[in-house]
Amino acid sequence: MRKNKSYEIDMTKGALLPKILLFSIPLILSSVMQLLFNAADIVVVGQFSGDQTLGANCVAAIGSTGSVINMLLSVFMGLSVGVNVLAARYYAARQQKELEETVHTTVALALIGGVIIAIIGLVAARPILELMGSPEEVIGLSTTYMKIYFIGMPVTMLYNFGAAVLRAAGDTRRPLYYLMNAGVINVILNLIFVIGFQMNVAGVALATIISQAVSAFLIVKALVNTNEIYKLDIKKVRVNADKAKRIIRVGLPAGLQGTIFSFSNVLIQSSINEFGSVAMAGSAAAANIEGFVYMAMNAVYQACVSFTSQNVGANKSDRIGKVLRTCLAVVFVVGAAMGNLFYFFGSQLVGIYTKEPATIQYGVQRMAVICTVYFLCGFMDVICGSLRGMGYSTVPMIVSIIGACGLRIVWILTVFRLYHDLTVLFISYPVTWFITASAHLISYFIIKKKVVSKMGGGKAVTA
């Protein structure tokens, strides 16, 4: 019992900054490990797939699938936010029966969702890539990568949903340990499949799903073996209608928001495709580097969700605002420091993925616009996380769809068409981040007043 308790964090008492950092740092490292799966894929195929042309095409093929994969995954991955909010609230309130039902419903939803998204991905991969205008020399490789990648969706979902349960209790360390093990396996298998068996994109996709299966197994084992109140009993895995509805109520709007965000990114990727495979490869490499900054900031977003939800569950209304202010300060430091540091070493970092000078130039061009002000995206996400932690997910979804996705699409159809330049295209990101973050902040003040009023009156804040 003592061993398991050492992993959890009580988010309802004590100084916030040390606990948010204790929560966020392992999560940042975990996110980096997940990104390294994809980075290892790109680096290995770029360096060891044969001649420079094939290597560049493989890099472009894998990089250009990211927005499509995220679009198809987002609805189901959004449900993990609902899991986190609900489990954190029950954990803080020590409602064991409610938490047990949530955990077992979570595992069932993960497996069901994984199978559904695998089928969709296998059927829709090539048609979506064709709609995006993927070049002929890339589309076959992209399709192969996506189809193999989607076969592993059940284990990917199982890991992410299981990790959401642990995060709800403040445990971000064990998911990190499991991903470190899986990451080592991923890199080793990449080298074996690509260099040894000359499988290029098929090899790295296969290595990724095997490593994800390892991390899923380890996280399920942790949930089964724990003595905490979120213990998993495999025999009890089933969908509880009430808990599924509560998870969906918070998670579905988050997932739909992610899907529409990804759709707008698909449109941007389609616009990038107009500049050819070299621009695609450069943008893909830069986007992969930016991903490290984003995932670091996303860890602070997840901290904001968990800390806010636990304090709502414990009826600590005075800590809601403190959580947001602390998370905004942390995400600014993380986003500004990492983003500008990465841009400063942009040529060297993009050069890890490819040695082609033109490709490197395109990558640095993108980083100049996005990395330097990436903290604006962090602000947008953290405020959204506070709203979700309070149990309100529809409002930030609507704001995000209009403020970020809608305006981004308008930018592509108007400003970008008038000034057909990649830098102009990339500027759509910081402009929409700033506008959306401002709208989220206005929503936050309105909703917080409502939530605090309910808590003061002894009413339950529904998830």
Side-chain angles (χ1 to χ4, degrees), residues 151-167:
I151 291 172
M153 278 302 106
V155 292
T156 299
M157 298 288 286
L158 193 57
Y159 169 79
N160 283 284
F161 277 48
V165 172
L166 294 181
R167 284 199 306 272

Side-chain angles (χ1 to χ4, degrees), residues 204-458:
V204 294
L206 184 59
T208 297
I209 65 173
I210 292 172
S211 61
Q212 287 174 342
V214 171
S215 61
F217 168 78
L218 291 172
I219 213 154
V220 168
K221 183 180 177 183
L223 292 172
V224 169
N225 292 338
T226 187
N227 292 318
E228 264 289 351
I229 61 174
Y230 52 78
K231 183 180 179 66
L232 171 66
D233 183 344
I234 299 296
K235 296 178 182 178
K236 295 181 181 179
V237 172
R238 60 182 58 85
V239 175
N240 177 282
D242 176 63
K243 298 304 177 292
K245 287 177 184 176
R246 289 174 179 267
I247 289 170
I248 291 169
R249 189 177 300 144
V250 175
L252 184 59
L256 290 174
Q257 176 184 322
T259 297
I260 296 171
F261 254 102
S262 297
F263 176 71
S264 69
N265 288 335
V266 167
L267 291 181
I268 289 179
Q269 182 63 53
S270 298
S271 299
I272 294 170
N273 293 354
E274 296 174 12
F275 293 86
S277 60
V278 176
M280 289 172 64
S283 179
N288 200 268
I289 294 165
E290 292 158 13
F292 289 93
V293 186
Y294 175 78
M295 294 307 287
M297 296 191 298
N298 185 260
V300 186
Y301 155 78
Q302 293 188 49
C304 193
V305 173
S306 296
F307 275 72
T308 302
S309 189
Q310 271 210 20
N311 281 286
V312 170
N315 207 38
K316 298 288 185 70
S317 60
D318 59 308
R319 291 173 68 87
I320 295 174
K322 294 177 183 177
V323 168
L324 178 60
R325 290 191 295 274
T326 305
C327 288
L328 283 173
V330 173
V331 86
F332 171 75
V333 172
V334 170
M338 289 185 66
N340 283 277
L341 183 67
F342 281 20
Y343 170 62
F344 185 79
F345 292 102
S347 296
Q348 293 89 333
L349 291 171
V350 177
I352 296 173
Y353 296 83
T354 176
K355 299 303 180 185
E356 181 66 35
T359 304
I360 294 173
Q361 184 178 354
Y362 276 117
V364 175
Q365 181 182 356
R366 174 181 170 123
M367 293 174 72
V369 178
I370 294 176
C371 279
T372 51
V373 292
Y374 217 171
F375 61 86
L376 291 174
C377 179
F379 285 169
M380 178 184 71
D381 285 349
V382 164
I383 301 169
C384 185
S386 181
L387 292 168
R388 292 208 170 102
M390 288 188 282
Y392 288 79
S393 197
T394 303
V395 171
M397 177 193 73
I398 294 171
V399 169
S400 296
I401 289 172
I402 296 173
C405 307
L407 289 179
R408 201 170 290 172
I409 293 169
V410 170
W411 185 281
I412 292 170
L413 297 177
T414 57
V415 179
F416 174 64
R417 291 303 162 197
L418 287 173
Y419 305 96
H420 197 256
D421 180 80
L422 271 176
T423 297
V424 173
L425 178 64
F426 296 142
I427 288 173
S428 66
Y429 284 109
V431 169
T432 53
W433 292 334
F434 177 79
I435 293 172
T436 308
S438 301
H440 278 321
L441 191 59
I442 295 170
S443 302
Y444 164 80
F445 287 118
I446 296 170
I447 288 174
K448 183 193 170 189
K449 184 177 180 180
K450 181 178 179 181
V451 169
V452 170
S453 176
K454 284 184 178 182
M455 294 169 70

Side-chain angles (χ1 to χ4, degrees), residues 15-324:
L16 283 168
L17 181 58
K19 290 188 176 183
I20 286 173
L21 292 177
L22 183 63
F23 179 98
S24 299
I25 290 173
L27 194 54
I28 289 171
L29 295 175
S30 297
S31 300
V32 167
M33 289 302 303
Q34 285 187 306
L35 282 171
L36 284 175
F37 287 172
N38 189 251
D41 292 351
I42 293 177
V43 170
V44 170
V45 296
Q47 300 292 344
F48 301 109
S49 288
D51 59 68
Q52 278 193 349
T53 301
L54 178 58
N57 286 341
C58 287
V59 169
I62 295 176
S64 64
T65 62
S67 55
V68 181
I69 290 171
N70 289 334
M71 183 179 70
L72 296 177
L73 273 177
S74 290
V75 169
F76 293 96
M77 292 303 294
L79 295 181
S80 69
V81 177
V83 170
N84 186 280
V85 170
L86 198 63
R89 197 161 298 177
Y90 290 143
Y91 181 80
R94 308 307 291 179
Q95 294 178 280
Q96 182 169 350
K97 181 176 180 296
E98 304 292 330
L99 184 55
E100 286 181 352
E101 290 175 351
T102 300
V103 170
H104 294 108
T105 299
T106 293
V107 173
L109 289 177
L111 294 173
I112 293 169
V115 171
I116 292 172
I117 199 68
I119 294 170
I120 294 173
L122 287 169
V123 172
R126 189 173 182 98
I128 292 176
L129 290 167
E130 288 174 348
L131 286 173
M132 290 173 62
S134 187
E136 188 62 35
E137 67 270 22
V138 171
I139 192 168
L141 295 167
S142 297
T143 303
T144 299
Y145 180 81
M146 283 183 64
K147 286 188 174 182
I148 297 174
Y149 187 93
F150 275 105
I151 291 172
M153 278 302 106
V155 292
T156 299
M157 298 288 286
L158 193 57
Y159 169 79
N160 283 284
F161 277 48
V165 172
L166 294 181
R167 284 199 306 272
D171 178 7
T172 55
R173 283 180 286 169
R174 282 184 288 182
L176 168 62
Y177 304 151
Y178 305 150
L179 280 173
M180 288 173 67
N181 291 328
V184 171
I185 293 170
N186 184 66
V187 172
I188 293 171
L189 291 179
N190 272 338
L191 296 172
I192 291 173
F193 292 150
V194 175
I195 299 175
F197 297 107
Q198 296 294 302
M199 294 174 67
N200 57 62
V201 295
V204 294
L206 184 59
T208 297
I209 65 173
I210 292 172
S211 61
Q212 287 174 342
V214 171
S215 61
F217 168 78
L218 291 172
I219 213 154
V220 168
K221 183 180 177 183
L223 292 172
V224 169
N225 292 338
T226 187
N227 292 318
E228 264 289 351
I229 61 174
Y230 52 78
K231 183 180 179 66
L232 171 66
D233 183 344
I234 299 296
K235 296 178 182 178
K236 295 181 181 179
V237 172
R238 60 182 58 85
V239 175
N240 177 282
D242 176 63
K243 298 304 177 292
K245 287 177 184 176
R246 289 174 179 267
I247 289 170
I248 291 169
R249 189 177 300 144
V250 175
L252 184 59
L256 290 174
Q257 176 184 322
T259 297
I260 296 171
F261 254 102
S262 297
F263 176 71
S264 69
N265 288 335
V266 167
L267 291 181
I268 289 179
Q269 182 63 53
S270 298
S271 299
I272 294 170
N273 293 354
E274 296 174 12
F275 293 86
S277 60
V278 176
M280 289 172 64
S283 179
N288 200 268
I289 294 165
E290 292 158 13
F292 289 93
V293 186
Y294 175 78
M295 294 307 287
M297 296 191 298
N298 185 260
V300 186
Y301 155 78
Q302 293 188 49
C304 193
V305 173
S306 296
F307 275 72
T308 302
S309 189
Q310 271 210 20
N311 281 286
V312 170
N315 207 38
K316 298 288 185 70
S317 60
D318 59 308
R319 291 173 68 87
I320 295 174
K322 294 177 183 177
V323 168
L324 178 60

